[in-house]
Amino acid sequence: MSLAKPAMRGLLGKRLRFHLPIAFALSLVAAAAFKYGVTEPRKQAYADFYKQYDATKEFNNMRDAGVFESVRPTGE
Amino acid sequence: MTHASVFRGNHKCTTMRTPLASRCYSHAKVETDEEFDARWVTYFSKPDIDAWELKKGMNTLIGYDLVPEAKILDSALRACRRLNDLASAIRILEAVKDKSGPHKDIYPYLIQELQPTLIELGISTPEDLGMDKL
C-alpha cells in the first residue's frame, strides 16, 4: 500500500500560529489571576488593617509590654 | 499577529502558507516551492561537491521550517555516494526523521519514496541498523 504525501512544509509555523496566541493569552490570564487573586487581596488586607489603626494606642500597649529600651512602661 | 512575522516564512496573510524567506516589508520576488527544491537539488548535484559543502548544505537545509522533499534528499544521498560518505547518508535519514517531529507519517513516506535510491546506493536505514533504538 503506497503512502500518500503528507504536508512537509511550514509545520513549525503552523504550530506556532496556533499555540503562541494561546500561550500569550494564558500568560495574561495567569498574570491577571495572580494580580486579582493574590496582590489585590493582600493590598486590601493591609488597607483594612491600617484604616482603624491607632498608632498611639498600639505604642502604649507595646510600651507597657516592656519591649522598648528608650521608654519605660508607664508607672515605673 | 505580529509575533508570527518574527519567524522566517510567516507572513501576515496566513490563508496560503508562504514559502521561505518572505517578510511583510520585503518587495523581493518570493521563491516558489518548486524553485526552492530545484535550487537545492542543483546544489547537491554538483559533480565535484566537497565534504564541507555537503555538510554546510545539509545543515542549512535542516535549519529551514520544512522537511526536505524526496528529490532533494535523493540528490544529497548521491552526493554522499560521490564522497564515499555512508555515515553522512545515514545521518541524513536520521535528520529527516528528527525534522518531522511529531508528524510520524512523513518519515515512512520519504523512505518509501527513496527506496529505489537506497537500494541502488546500498544505504541502510537507521532502522535496519538498529540505530533508532537507544
Side-chain angles (χ1 to χ4, degrees), chain B residues 61-122:
Chain B
L61 191 58
I62 291 299
Y64 296 141
D65 181 16
L66 52 82
V67 182
E69 293 284 328
K71 51 179 171 317
I72 302 177
L73 296 172
D74 171 84
S75 187
L77 290 173
R78 289 181 191 283
C80 291
R81 174 63 270 190
R82 290 199 294 284
L83 288 163
N84 298 318
D85 193 350
L86 177 63
S88 295
I90 299 174
R91 194 58 171 158
I92 288 171
L93 297 177
E94 287 183 304
V96 158
K97 186 168 185 189
D98 184 70
K99 273 302 279 186
S100 313
H103 303 266
K104 300 230 184 289
D105 49 346
I106 299 179
Y107 182 68
Y109 168 78
L110 282 171
I111 293 295
Q112 171 193 281
E113 295 298 306
L114 289 170
Q115 205 58 254
T117 307
L118 295 178
I119 292 169
E120 180 194 331
L121 300 178

Tab-separated table of all heavy atoms in Angstrom, chain B residues 61-122:
chain	number	residue	atom	x	y	z
B	61	LEU	N	19.912	23.345	5.169
B	61	LEU	CA	18.610	22.800	4.794
B	61	LEU	C	17.806	22.399	6.019
B	61	LEU	O	16.597	22.631	6.086
B	61	LEU	CB	18.855	21.578	3.891
B	61	LEU	CG	17.679	20.980	3.155
B	61	LEU	CD1	17.019	22.010	2.265
B	61	LEU	CD2	18.161	19.798	2.327
B	62	ILE	N	18.496	21.797	6.993
B	62	ILE	CA	17.810	21.356	8.196
B	62	ILE	C	17.329	22.553	9.017
B	62	ILE	O	16.380	22.443	9.781
B	62	ILE	CB	18.755	20.451	9.019
B	62	ILE	CG1	18.996	19.130	8.294
B	62	ILE	CG2	18.214	20.176	10.406
B	62	ILE	CD1	17.766	18.302	8.057
B	63	GLY	N	17.964	23.695	8.836
B	63	GLY	CA	17.547	24.882	9.583
B	63	GLY	C	16.222	25.458	9.131
B	63	GLY	O	15.612	26.262	9.832
B	64	TYR	N	15.751	25.058	7.968
B	64	TYR	CA	14.505	25.630	7.449
B	64	TYR	C	13.289	24.984	8.108
B	64	TYR	O	13.356	23.872	8.608
B	64	TYR	CB	14.410	25.424	5.939
B	64	TYR	CG	15.464	26.138	5.131
B	64	TYR	CD1	16.041	25.518	4.027
B	64	TYR	CD2	15.870	27.430	5.437
B	64	TYR	CE1	16.999	26.156	3.267
B	64	TYR	CE2	16.826	28.073	4.677
B	64	TYR	CZ	17.389	27.439	3.598
B	64	TYR	OH	18.335	28.070	2.838
B	65	ASP	N	12.171	25.692	8.038
B	65	ASP	CA	10.913	25.156	8.573
B	65	ASP	C	10.255	24.279	7.518
B	65	ASP	O	9.201	24.593	6.977
B	65	ASP	CB	9.988	26.297	8.991
B	65	ASP	CG	8.673	25.793	9.567
B	65	ASP	OD1	8.588	24.605	9.927
B	65	ASP	OD2	7.702	26.586	9.626
B	66	LEU	N	10.903	23.188	7.188
B	66	LEU	CA	10.313	22.226	6.257
B	66	LEU	C	11.091	20.914	6.359
B	66	LEU	O	12.217	20.886	6.852
B	66	LEU	CB	10.370	22.751	4.809
B	66	LEU	CG	11.691	23.237	4.269
B	66	LEU	CD1	12.594	22.128	3.774
B	66	LEU	CD2	11.438	24.187	3.096
B	67	VAL	N	10.454	19.843	5.906
B	67	VAL	CA	11.166	18.583	5.744
B	67	VAL	C	11.535	18.514	4.272
B	67	VAL	O	10.659	18.675	3.413
B	67	VAL	CB	10.289	17.379	6.136
B	67	VAL	CG1	11.054	16.093	6.013
B	67	VAL	CG2	9.776	17.549	7.557
B	68	PRO	N	12.818	18.301	3.953
B	68	PRO	CA	13.209	18.342	2.534
B	68	PRO	C	12.447	17.319	1.698
B	68	PRO	O	12.128	16.228	2.165
B	68	PRO	CB	14.711	18.009	2.568
B	68	PRO	CG	15.147	18.308	3.951
B	68	PRO	CD	13.965	18.059	4.823
B	69	GLU	N	12.180	17.713	0.469
B	69	GLU	CA	11.494	16.820	-0.460
B	69	GLU	C	12.368	15.629	-0.799
B	69	GLU	O	13.589	15.685	-0.680
B	69	GLU	CB	11.176	17.566	-1.755
B	69	GLU	CG	10.160	18.665	-1.601
B	69	GLU	CD	8.742	18.127	-1.483
B	69	GLU	OE1	8.465	17.079	-2.098
B	69	GLU	OE2	7.942	18.719	-0.763
B	70	ALA	N	11.716	14.558	-1.269
B	70	ALA	CA	12.460	13.345	-1.591
B	70	ALA	C	13.530	13.623	-2.638
B	70	ALA	O	14.636	13.067	-2.575
B	70	ALA	CB	11.506	12.259	-2.077
B	71	LYS	N	13.221	14.506	-3.615
B	71	LYS	CA	14.212	14.717	-4.671
B	71	LYS	C	15.451	15.433	-4.162
B	71	LYS	O	16.571	15.183	-4.643
B	71	LYS	CB	13.616	15.452	-5.871
B	71	LYS	CG	12.867	16.732	-5.606
B	71	LYS	CD	12.403	17.255	-6.961
B	71	LYS	CE	11.449	18.403	-6.988
B	71	LYS	NZ	10.359	18.639	-6.238
B	72	ILE	N	15.282	16.312	-3.159
B	72	ILE	CA	16.458	16.962	-2.584
B	72	ILE	C	17.289	15.933	-1.826
B	72	ILE	O	18.523	15.885	-1.948
B	72	ILE	CB	16.046	18.099	-1.626
B	72	ILE	CG1	15.185	19.137	-2.341
B	72	ILE	CG2	17.263	18.739	-0.992
B	72	ILE	CD1	14.695	20.247	-1.427
B	73	LEU	N	16.599	15.079	-1.069
B	73	LEU	CA	17.312	14.076	-0.288
B	73	LEU	C	18.018	13.095	-1.210
B	73	LEU	O	19.139	12.664	-0.935
B	73	LEU	CB	16.333	13.325	0.614
B	73	LEU	CG	15.660	14.191	1.681
B	73	LEU	CD1	14.567	13.417	2.386
B	73	LEU	CD2	16.680	14.688	2.677
B	74	ASP	N	17.362	12.762	-2.320
B	74	ASP	CA	17.974	11.864	-3.289
B	74	ASP	C	19.279	12.465	-3.794
B	74	ASP	O	20.325	11.797	-3.838
B	74	ASP	CB	16.999	11.636	-4.448
B	74	ASP	CG	17.636	10.901	-5.601
B	74	ASP	OD1	17.685	9.659	-5.557
B	74	ASP	OD2	18.116	11.568	-6.537
B	75	SER	N	19.237	13.752	-4.131
B	75	SER	CA	20.424	14.439	-4.619
B	75	SER	C	21.518	14.456	-3.556
B	75	SER	O	22.699	14.243	-3.851
B	75	SER	CB	20.034	15.868	-5.012
B	75	SER	OG	21.081	16.524	-5.637
B	76	ALA	N	21.106	14.682	-2.292
B	76	ALA	CA	22.089	14.720	-1.200
B	76	ALA	C	22.712	13.345	-0.979
B	76	ALA	O	23.930	13.218	-0.761
B	76	ALA	CB	21.416	15.212	0.075
B	77	LEU	N	21.874	12.288	-1.068
B	77	LEU	CA	22.409	10.932	-0.851
B	77	LEU	C	23.393	10.573	-1.957
B	77	LEU	O	24.414	9.918	-1.717
B	77	LEU	CB	21.261	9.924	-0.803
B	77	LEU	CG	20.358	10.017	0.428
B	77	LEU	CD1	19.165	9.089	0.288
B	77	LEU	CD2	21.118	9.706	1.702
B	78	ARG	N	23.091	11.003	-3.174
B	78	ARG	CA	24.026	10.731	-4.271
B	78	ARG	C	25.326	11.495	-4.081
B	78	ARG	O	26.401	10.993	-4.433
B	78	ARG	CB	23.382	11.079	-5.616
B	78	ARG	CG	22.299	10.094	-5.973
B	78	ARG	CD	21.618	10.348	-7.315
B	78	ARG	NE	20.452	9.500	-7.413
B	78	ARG	CZ	20.503	8.186	-7.701
B	78	ARG	NH1	21.668	7.600	-7.944
B	78	ARG	NH2	19.394	7.470	-7.746
B	79	ALA	N	25.233	12.694	-3.510
B	79	ALA	CA	26.454	13.448	-3.200
B	79	ALA	C	27.289	12.692	-2.161
B	79	ALA	O	28.517	12.616	-2.269
B	79	ALA	CB	26.094	14.842	-2.685
B	80	CYS	N	26.592	12.093	-1.170
B	80	CYS	CA	27.308	11.278	-0.173
B	80	CYS	C	28.017	10.124	-0.871
B	80	CYS	O	29.156	9.767	-0.521
B	80	CYS	CB	26.330	10.708	0.859
B	80	CYS	SG	25.635	11.954	1.941
B	81	ARG	N	27.339	9.515	-1.864
B	81	ARG	CA	27.936	8.403	-2.608
B	81	ARG	C	29.210	8.862	-3.308
B	81	ARG	O	30.221	8.179	-3.279
B	81	ARG	CB	26.920	7.858	-3.615
B	81	ARG	CG	27.412	6.798	-4.574
B	81	ARG	CD	27.841	5.539	-3.916
B	81	ARG	NE	29.278	5.595	-3.570
B	81	ARG	CZ	29.989	4.564	-3.145
B	81	ARG	NH1	29.418	3.413	-2.973
B	81	ARG	NH2	31.257	4.704	-2.848
B	82	ARG	N	29.148	10.039	-3.917
B	82	ARG	CA	30.333	10.546	-4.637
B	82	ARG	C	31.475	10.799	-3.666
B	82	ARG	O	32.643	10.669	-4.025
B	82	ARG	CB	29.990	11.837	-5.384
B	82	ARG	CG	29.067	11.629	-6.566
B	82	ARG	CD	29.117	12.813	-7.541
B	82	ARG	NE	28.593	14.055	-6.997
B	82	ARG	CZ	27.306	14.334	-6.835
B	82	ARG	NH1	26.394	13.439	-7.140
B	82	ARG	NH2	26.928	15.496	-6.345
B	83	LEU	N	31.118	11.168	-2.446
B	83	LEU	CA	32.134	11.474	-1.445
B	83	LEU	C	32.508	10.255	-0.611
B	83	LEU	O	33.279	10.374	0.344
B	83	LEU	CB	31.629	12.591	-0.517
B	83	LEU	CG	31.571	13.966	-1.170
B	83	LEU	CD1	30.690	14.906	-0.356
B	83	LEU	CD2	32.965	14.559	-1.281
B	84	ASN	N	31.931	9.086	-0.947
B	84	ASN	CA	32.178	7.863	-0.186
B	84	ASN	C	31.847	8.052	1.288
B	84	ASN	O	32.595	7.617	2.168
B	84	ASN	CB	33.639	7.412	-0.334
B	84	ASN	CG	33.976	7.095	-1.772
B	84	ASN	OD1	33.201	6.478	-2.484
B	84	ASN	ND2	35.138	7.554	-2.220
B	85	ASP	N	30.750	8.738	1.562
B	85	ASP	CA	30.394	9.074	2.945
B	85	ASP	C	29.082	8.392	3.330
B	85	ASP	O	28.023	9.004	3.288
B	85	ASP	CB	30.281	10.602	3.066
B	85	ASP	CG	30.229	11.056	4.505
B	85	ASP	OD1	30.086	10.214	5.412
B	85	ASP	OD2	30.317	12.276	4.732
B	86	LEU	N	29.189	7.141	3.704
B	86	LEU	CA	27.984	6.396	4.113
B	86	LEU	C	27.415	6.947	5.414
B	86	LEU	O	26.208	7.009	5.608
B	86	LEU	CB	28.313	4.907	4.269
B	86	LEU	CG	27.158	4.016	4.762
B	86	LEU	CD1	26.014	4.002	3.774
B	86	LEU	CD2	27.659	2.606	5.022
B	87	ALA	N	28.344	7.362	6.302
B	87	ALA	CA	27.901	7.871	7.606
B	87	ALA	C	26.962	9.056	7.433
B	87	ALA	O	25.912	9.141	8.074
B	87	ALA	CB	29.114	8.253	8.456
B	88	SER	N	27.355	9.970	6.551
B	88	SER	CA	26.504	11.144	6.324
B	88	SER	C	25.183	10.761	5.690
B	88	SER	O	24.152	11.360	5.971
B	88	SER	CB	27.218	12.165	5.437
B	88	SER	OG	28.347	12.685	6.101
B	89	ALA	N	25.228	9.752	4.836
B	89	ALA	CA	23.985	9.319	4.182
B	89	ALA	C	22.982	8.840	5.229
B	89	ALA	O	21.808	9.217	5.211
B	89	ALA	CB	24.286	8.204	3.187
B	90	ILE	N	23.463	8.028	6.157
B	90	ILE	CA	22.554	7.517	7.192
B	90	ILE	C	22.141	8.654	8.110
B	90	ILE	O	20.988	8.736	8.566
B	90	ILE	CB	23.229	6.371	7.965
B	90	ILE	CG1	23.555	5.225	7.012
B	90	ILE	CG2	22.338	5.874	9.100
B	90	ILE	CD1	24.353	4.105	7.606
B	91	ARG	N	23.084	9.555	8.366
B	91	ARG	CA	22.771	10.692	9.231
B	91	ARG	C	21.672	11.553	8.629
B	91	ARG	O	20.822	12.090	9.349
B	91	ARG	CB	24.032	11.536	9.454
B	91	ARG	CG	23.906	12.531	10.584
B	91	ARG	CD	23.585	11.856	11.881
B	91	ARG	NE	23.679	12.767	13.004
B	91	ARG	CZ	23.066	12.570	14.166
B	91	ARG	NH1	22.310	11.502	14.326
B	91	ARG	NH2	23.215	13.417	15.165
B	92	ILE	N	21.711	11.699	7.303
B	92	ILE	CA	20.667	12.475	6.629
B	92	ILE	C	19.303	11.857	6.908
B	92	ILE	O	18.327	12.562	7.176
B	92	ILE	CB	20.951	12.548	5.110
B	92	ILE	CG1	22.133	13.478	4.852
B	92	ILE	CG2	19.723	13.011	4.340
B	92	ILE	CD1	22.637	13.464	3.432
B	93	LEU	N	19.227	10.544	6.863
B	93	LEU	CA	17.949	9.884	7.135
B	93	LEU	C	17.511	10.129	8.577
B	93	LEU	O	16.334	10.379	8.852
B	93	LEU	CB	18.068	8.380	6.868
B	93	LEU	CG	18.382	7.988	5.424
B	93	LEU	CD1	18.548	6.491	5.298
B	93	LEU	CD2	17.312	8.496	4.481
B	94	GLU	N	18.466	10.078	9.499
B	94	GLU	CA	18.126	10.349	10.906
B	94	GLU	C	17.634	11.774	11.070
B	94	GLU	O	16.699	12.056	11.823
B	94	GLU	CB	19.350	10.147	11.794
B	94	GLU	CG	19.743	8.703	12.009
B	94	GLU	CD	20.931	8.572	12.965
B	94	GLU	OE1	21.993	9.183	12.698
B	94	GLU	OE2	20.788	7.868	13.962
B	95	ALA	N	18.302	12.693	10.353
B	95	ALA	CA	17.932	14.108	10.473
B	95	ALA	C	16.519	14.339	9.959
B	95	ALA	O	15.746	15.101	10.537
B	95	ALA	CB	18.919	14.972	9.682
B	96	VAL	N	16.192	13.650	8.864
B	96	VAL	CA	14.855	13.805	8.289
B	96	VAL	C	13.802	13.315	9.278
B	96	VAL	O	12.768	13.961	9.477
B	96	VAL	CB	14.768	13.016	6.966
B	96	VAL	CG1	13.347	12.698	6.612
B	96	VAL	CG2	15.443	13.794	5.857
B	97	LYS	N	14.099	12.194	9.918
B	97	LYS	CA	13.131	11.684	10.903
B	97	LYS	C	12.971	12.680	12.052
B	97	LYS	O	11.867	12.930	12.521
B	97	LYS	CB	13.627	10.354	11.451
B	97	LYS	CG	12.637	9.676	12.371
B	97	LYS	CD	13.049	8.251	12.651
B	97	LYS	CE	11.952	7.583	13.474
B	97	LYS	NZ	12.389	6.281	13.962
B	98	ASP	N	14.091	13.267	12.463
B	98	ASP	CA	14.032	14.227	13.563
B	98	ASP	C	13.268	15.480	13.165
B	98	ASP	O	12.489	16.031	13.937
B	98	ASP	CB	15.454	14.578	13.995
B	98	ASP	CG	15.437	15.488	15.206
B	98	ASP	OD1	15.065	14.999	16.294
B	98	ASP	OD2	15.778	16.671	15.080
B	99	LYS	N	13.475	15.934	11.929
B	99	LYS	CA	12.804	17.148	11.455
B	99	LYS	C	11.292	16.977	11.420
B	99	LYS	O	10.557	17.935	11.526
B	99	LYS	CB	13.275	17.520	10.038
B	99	LYS	CG	14.491	18.368	9.968
B	99	LYS	CD	14.353	19.659	10.700
B	99	LYS	CE	13.622	20.719	9.910
B	99	LYS	NZ	13.615	22.021	10.576
B	100	SER	N	10.851	15.727	11.223
B	100	SER	CA	9.419	15.505	11.133
B	100	SER	C	8.730	15.756	12.455
B	100	SER	O	7.537	16.024	12.469
B	100	SER	CB	9.126	14.070	10.693
B	100	SER	OG	9.918	13.736	9.595
B	101	GLY	N	9.502	15.660	13.535
B	101	GLY	CA	8.936	15.946	14.842
B	101	GLY	C	7.779	15.016	15.165
B	101	GLY	O	7.885	13.801	15.014
B	102	PRO	N	6.649	15.612	15.584
B	102	PRO	CA	5.516	14.768	15.969
B	102	PRO	C	4.761	14.177	14.779
B	102	PRO	O	3.901	13.327	14.970
B	102	PRO	CB	4.611	15.743	16.722
B	102	PRO	CG	4.936	17.075	16.168
B	102	PRO	CD	6.367	17.043	15.756
B	103	HIS	N	5.109	14.608	13.559
B	103	HIS	CA	4.364	14.130	12.384
B	103	HIS	C	4.953	12.814	11.908
B	103	HIS	O	5.865	12.781	11.077
B	103	HIS	CB	4.431	15.174	11.265
B	103	HIS	CG	3.921	16.507	11.682
B	103	HIS	ND1	2.622	16.903	11.482
B	103	HIS	CD2	4.532	17.526	12.320
B	103	HIS	CE1	2.454	18.120	11.973
B	103	HIS	NE2	3.586	18.515	12.494
B	104	LYS	N	4.417	11.749	12.446
B	104	LYS	CA	5.051	10.435	12.237
B	104	LYS	C	4.816	9.873	10.841
B	104	LYS	O	5.345	8.819	10.507
B	104	LYS	CB	4.531	9.440	13.280
B	104	LYS	CG	4.810	9.848	14.711
B	104	LYS	CD	5.448	8.711	15.493
B	104	LYS	CE	5.640	9.070	16.943
B	104	LYS	NZ	6.682	10.057	17.163
B	105	ASP	N	4.006	10.539	10.023
B	105	ASP	CA	3.718	9.981	8.707
B	105	ASP	C	4.724	10.424	7.654
B	105	ASP	O	4.761	9.874	6.559
B	105	ASP	CB	2.300	10.391	8.266
B	105	ASP	CG	2.053	11.879	8.423
B	105	ASP	OD1	2.855	12.554	9.109
B	105	ASP	OD2	1.054	12.379	7.872
B	106	ILE	N	5.584	11.404	7.994
B	106	ILE	CA	6.483	11.957	6.978
B	106	ILE	C	7.633	11.004	6.686
B	106	ILE	O	7.940	10.708	5.532
B	106	ILE	CB	7.035	13.324	7.426
B	106	ILE	CG1	5.894	14.316	7.621
B	106	ILE	CG2	8.061	13.842	6.437
B	106	ILE	CD1	6.335	15.682	8.074
B	107	TYR	N	8.283	10.519	7.735
B	107	TYR	CA	9.469	9.669	7.549
B	107	TYR	C	9.152	8.403	6.763
B	107	TYR	O	9.859	8.096	5.794
B	107	TYR	CB	10.104	9.367	8.903
B	107	TYR	CG	11.359	8.537	8.829
B	107	TYR	CD1	12.523	9.054	8.271
B	107	TYR	CD2	11.385	7.234	9.317
B	107	TYR	CE1	13.675	8.302	8.202
B	107	TYR	CE2	12.531	6.474	9.246
B	107	TYR	CZ	13.673	7.011	8.692
B	107	TYR	OH	14.817	6.260	8.617
B	108	PRO	N	8.123	7.636	7.127
B	108	PRO	CA	7.830	6.438	6.331
B	108	PRO	C	7.554	6.771	4.877
B	108	PRO	O	7.973	6.032	3.968
B	108	PRO	CB	6.571	5.848	6.995
B	108	PRO	CG	6.595	6.384	8.371
B	108	PRO	CD	7.210	7.739	8.269
B	109	TYR	N	6.880	7.894	4.647
B	109	TYR	CA	6.601	8.291	3.269
B	109	TYR	C	7.901	8.539	2.515
B	109	TYR	O	8.077	8.080	1.386
B	109	TYR	CB	5.723	9.551	3.249
B	109	TYR	CG	5.643	10.180	1.884
B	109	TYR	CD1	4.830	9.649	0.894
B	109	TYR	CD2	6.415	11.294	1.559
B	109	TYR	CE1	4.773	10.205	-0.370
B	109	TYR	CE2	6.371	11.852	0.299
B	109	TYR	CZ	5.550	11.303	-0.661
B	109	TYR	OH	5.513	11.862	-1.905
B	110	LEU	N	8.828	9.270	3.147
B	110	LEU	CA	10.085	9.593	2.461
B	110	LEU	C	10.927	8.348	2.226
B	110	LEU	O	11.556	8.211	1.169
B	110	LEU	CB	10.863	10.637	3.257
B	110	LEU	CG	10.330	12.060	3.070
B	110	LEU	CD1	10.979	13.016	4.045
B	110	LEU	CD2	10.551	12.547	1.653
B	111	ILE	N	10.929	7.433	3.197
B	111	ILE	CA	11.673	6.180	2.985
B	111	ILE	C	11.078	5.430	1.804
B	111	ILE	O	11.798	4.866	0.975
B	111	ILE	CB	11.662	5.320	4.262
B	111	ILE	CG1	12.471	5.999	5.367
B	111	ILE	CG2	12.213	3.928	3.986
B	111	ILE	CD1	13.951	6.127	5.056
B	112	GLN	N	9.760	5.441	1.726
B	112	GLN	CA	9.080	4.791	0.598
B	112	GLN	C	9.536	5.417	-0.715
B	112	GLN	O	9.864	4.714	-1.667
B	112	GLN	CB	7.567	4.941	0.766
B	112	GLN	CG	6.763	4.510	-0.447
B	112	GLN	CD	5.317	4.983	-0.340
B	112	GLN	OE1	4.510	4.386	0.362
B	112	GLN	NE2	4.987	6.063	-1.040
B	113	GLU	N	9.580	6.755	-0.761
B	113	GLU	CA	9.958	7.450	-1.990
B	113	GLU	C	11.423	7.234	-2.322
B	113	GLU	O	11.820	7.204	-3.481
B	113	GLU	CB	9.698	8.955	-1.851
B	113	GLU	CG	8.234	9.316	-1.689
B	113	GLU	CD	7.404	8.914	-2.897
B	113	GLU	OE1	7.749	9.315	-4.028
B	113	GLU	OE2	6.431	8.147	-2.718
B	114	LEU	N	12.255	7.094	-1.284
B	114	LEU	CA	13.693	6.969	-1.511
B	114	LEU	C	14.147	5.530	-1.678
B	114	LEU	O	15.327	5.285	-1.935
B	114	LEU	CB	14.458	7.596	-0.336
B	114	LEU	CG	14.413	9.119	-0.248
B	114	LEU	CD1	14.986	9.593	1.072
B	114	LEU	CD2	15.174	9.763	-1.394
B	115	GLN	N	13.234	4.585	-1.501
B	115	GLN	CA	13.600	3.165	-1.530
B	115	GLN	C	14.449	2.797	-2.741
B	115	GLN	O	15.497	2.161	-2.576
B	115	GLN	CB	12.337	2.296	-1.454
B	115	GLN	CG	12.558	0.907	-0.880
B	115	GLN	CD	13.150	0.914	0.515
B	115	GLN	OE1	14.314	0.616	0.707
B	115	GLN	NE2	12.331	1.253	1.492
B	116	PRO	N	14.067	3.180	-3.973
B	116	PRO	CA	14.927	2.831	-5.126
B	116	PRO	C	16.338	3.368	-4.973
B	116	PRO	O	17.315	2.658	-5.255
B	116	PRO	CB	14.210	3.500	-6.312
B	116	PRO	CG	12.815	3.714	-5.868
B	116	PRO	CD	12.860	3.908	-4.400
B	117	THR	N	16.450	4.607	-4.487
B	117	THR	CA	17.773	5.205	-4.322
B	117	THR	C	18.564	4.477	-3.239
B	117	THR	O	19.763	4.200	-3.408
B	117	THR	CB	17.642	6.689	-3.929
B	117	THR	OG1	16.799	7.345	-4.854
B	117	THR	CG2	18.986	7.377	-3.872
B	118	LEU	N	17.889	4.152	-2.138
B	118	LEU	CA	18.590	3.476	-1.037
B	118	LEU	C	19.111	2.120	-1.501
B	118	LEU	O	20.230	1.714	-1.149
B	118	LEU	CB	17.644	3.299	0.159
B	118	LEU	CG	17.153	4.572	0.855
B	118	LEU	CD1	16.190	4.240	1.983
B	118	LEU	CD2	18.307	5.396	1.386
B	119	ILE	N	18.294	1.439	-2.299
B	119	ILE	CA	18.731	0.121	-2.788
B	119	ILE	C	19.886	0.292	-3.764
B	119	ILE	O	20.910	-0.404	-3.666
B	119	ILE	CB	17.554	-0.626	-3.449
B	119	ILE	CG1	16.517	-0.992	-2.378
B	119	ILE	CG2	18.047	-1.872	-4.183
B	119	ILE	CD1	15.205	-1.492	-2.927
B	120	GLU	N	19.740	1.253	-4.693
B	120	GLU	CA	20.777	1.458	-5.706
B	120	GLU	C	22.114	1.806	-5.073
B	120	GLU	O	23.168	1.287	-5.475
B	120	GLU	CB	20.336	2.595	-6.643
B	120	GLU	CG	21.353	2.881	-7.740
B	120	GLU	CD	21.072	4.203	-8.447
B	120	GLU	OE1	19.884	4.602	-8.497
B	120	GLU	OE2	22.029	4.827	-8.930
B	121	LEU	N	22.075	2.683	-4.064
B	121	LEU	CA	23.322	3.148	-3.471
B	121	LEU	C	23.766	2.270	-2.299
B	121	LEU	O	24.828	2.484	-1.728
B	121	LEU	CB	23.168	4.599	-2.986
B	121	LEU	CG	22.802	5.609	-4.083
B	121	LEU	CD1	22.620	7.004	-3.475
B	121	LEU	CD2	23.857	5.649	-5.163
B	122	GLY	N	22.936	1.306	-1.937
B	122	GLY	CA	23.314	0.407	-0.848
B	122	GLY	C	23.336	1.083	0.502
B	122	GLY	O	24.198	0.800	1.340
